[in-house]
Amino acid sequence: MTEPSSEHLSDRYFDAAVALLQRVRNEERAGIGAAATAVADAIAGGNRVFVFGAGHSSLPAQDVVYRAGGLALINLLAVPGVVGVDVMPATLGSALERVEGLAGAALDTSPARSGDVLFVISLSGRNTLPIEMAQNARALGMTVIAVTSVAYAKETRSRHASGTFLKDHCHIVLDSKIAVGDGELVNDAIPAPFAPASTVVTSALMQAVMATAAADLADRGITPPMIRSGNVDGGHEWNGRIFEEYRDRIFFRH
């Protein structure tokens, strides 16, 4: 007896996600290494690391902040109204991504400074907010790393007045390889591509960078400031010591 087609779809999704992960692993190794070096340099040099993403691109950003098994010095650069679906209606967040000047205001009122690192995560890289975030951060003297899908720059138009994309304003570009539309599956009975994989792939990219940065620090003889799980005995005490030691570079505690 043939299994229902819906059961095969789950296998197809996992296959598509695994193929994307393998492609990113093979093709973005140099970029991951460069981004990890930038993070390790910042931590070793007394500087700070920030991550920003709007909409669902905020999920991979949040995934490396205050995370068990992650570096303690990664801070979310939050812009109210655009982090996930934290506003009503949810479409307001998408509208705010096209507002000029919002990125500059957010960056100017943040603790970010010259010498710090900023990851700007945007799947399409075509909206005003992430583009201006990268522009302003670079002008401030930060090292700016884009995590984006380069395919959008080839197949869509920028929404920024300059006609440029996020990738055009960053020192390092990590390409998630996600196809335009972010749907890995198709079905004749479903009117649009579905089953997005951008969160899976982009989160993996970010975690690969942070893991490589931690190893880089260790290779330099610097103990990387890691967060332990609060659900493991002694985890809260360990984290408390890390938070105190690095309190001038950890902003999610203030």
Side-chain angles (χ1 to χ4, degrees), residues 22-93:
Q22 290 177 329
R23 185 181 171 198
V24 168
R25 178 196 64 187
N26 295 335
E27 297 179 15
E28 296 301 304
R29 186 174 288 112
I32 290 169
T37 297
V39 171
D41 285 347
I43 292 174
N47 292 306
R48 295 80 61 81
V49 181
F50 296 87
V51 290
F52 166 77
H56 285 92
S57 290
S58 72
L59 298 177
Q62 294 179 66
D63 193 45
V64 293
V65 176
Y66 186 41
R67 177 62 190 263
L71 288 163
L73 305 189
I74 314 302
N75 299 280
L76 183 67
L77 201 163
V79 179
V82 304
V83 180
V85 288
D86 63 336
V87 293
M88 291 291 288
T91 50
L92 175 59

Side-chain angles (χ1 to χ4, degrees), residues 5 24 33 50 66 84 94 115 117 132-133 144 155 169 185 209 221 234:
S5 59
V24 168
F50 296 87
Y66 186 41
S94 297
V117 171
E132 291 191 351
M133 187 67 76
V144 187
E155 301 177 35
H169 303 282
L185 302 181
V209 169

Side-chain angles (χ1 to χ4, degrees), residues 176-215:
S176 64
K177 318 295 181 182
I178 299 296
V180 173
D182 197 14
E184 294 302 318
L185 302 181
V186 295
N187 184 298
D188 290 341
I190 299 174
F194 61 104
S198 59
T199 304
V200 173
V201 176
T202 307
S203 290
L205 258 174
M206 292 299 294
Q207 293 294 351
V209 169
M210 299 308 166
T212 306

Side-chain angles (χ1 to χ4, degrees), residues 27-253:
E27 297 179 15
E28 296 301 304
R29 186 174 288 112
I32 290 169
T37 297
V39 171
D41 285 347
I43 292 174
N47 292 306
R48 295 80 61 81
V49 181
F50 296 87
V51 290
F52 166 77
H56 285 92
S57 290
S58 72
L59 298 177
Q62 294 179 66
D63 193 45
V64 293
V65 176
Y66 186 41
R67 177 62 190 263
L71 288 163
L73 305 189
I74 314 302
N75 299 280
L76 183 67
L77 201 163
V79 179
V82 304
V83 180
V85 288
D86 63 336
V87 293
M88 291 291 288
T91 50
L92 175 59
S94 297
L96 289 173
E97 289 189 62
R98 300 192 291 274
V99 174
E100 294 182 6
L102 182 56
L107 197 59
D108 288 346
T109 55
S110 79
R113 68 188 185 193
S114 178
D116 292 345
V117 171
L118 173 63
F119 288 82
V120 181
I121 304 172
S122 173
L123 177 61
S124 72
R126 68 189 297 228
N127 288 308
T128 299
L129 180 57
I131 292 171
E132 291 191 351
M133 187 67 76
Q135 288 178 320
N136 282 275
R138 189 161 184 166
L140 185 63
M142 301 179 75
T143 298
V144 187
I145 302 169
V147 188
T148 188
S149 170
V150 173
Y152 278 83
K154 299 175 181 178
E155 301 177 35
T156 69
R157 289 184 178 182
S158 170
R159 288 185 173 133
H160 190 256
S162 67
T164 60
F165 284 77
L166 170 63
K167 71 177 185 63
D168 300 317
H169 303 282
C170 297
H171 298 92
I172 300 167
V173 177
L174 299 178
D175 183 4
S176 64
K177 318 295 181 182
I178 299 296
V180 173
D182 197 14
E184 294 302 318
L185 302 181
V186 295
N187 184 298
D188 290 341
I190 299 174
F194 61 104
S198 59
T199 304
V200 173
V201 176
T202 307
S203 290
L205 258 174
M206 292 299 294
Q207 293 294 351
V209 169
M210 299 308 166
T212 306
D216 187 335
L217 288 167
D219 288 343
R220 303 183 195 193
I222 300 170
T223 302
M226 310 305 297
I227 292 179
R228 292 188 176 184
S229 171
N231 295 311
V232 173
D233 290 346
H236 287 301
E237 291 77 14
W238 170 278
N239 294 338
R241 291 191 294 269
I242 293 291
F243 294 151
E244 181 60 29
E245 182 177 354
Y246 294 95
R247 62 185 306 167
D248 60 326
R249 291 190 273 168
I250 297 175
F251 301 102
F252 52 79
R253 289 278 295 175

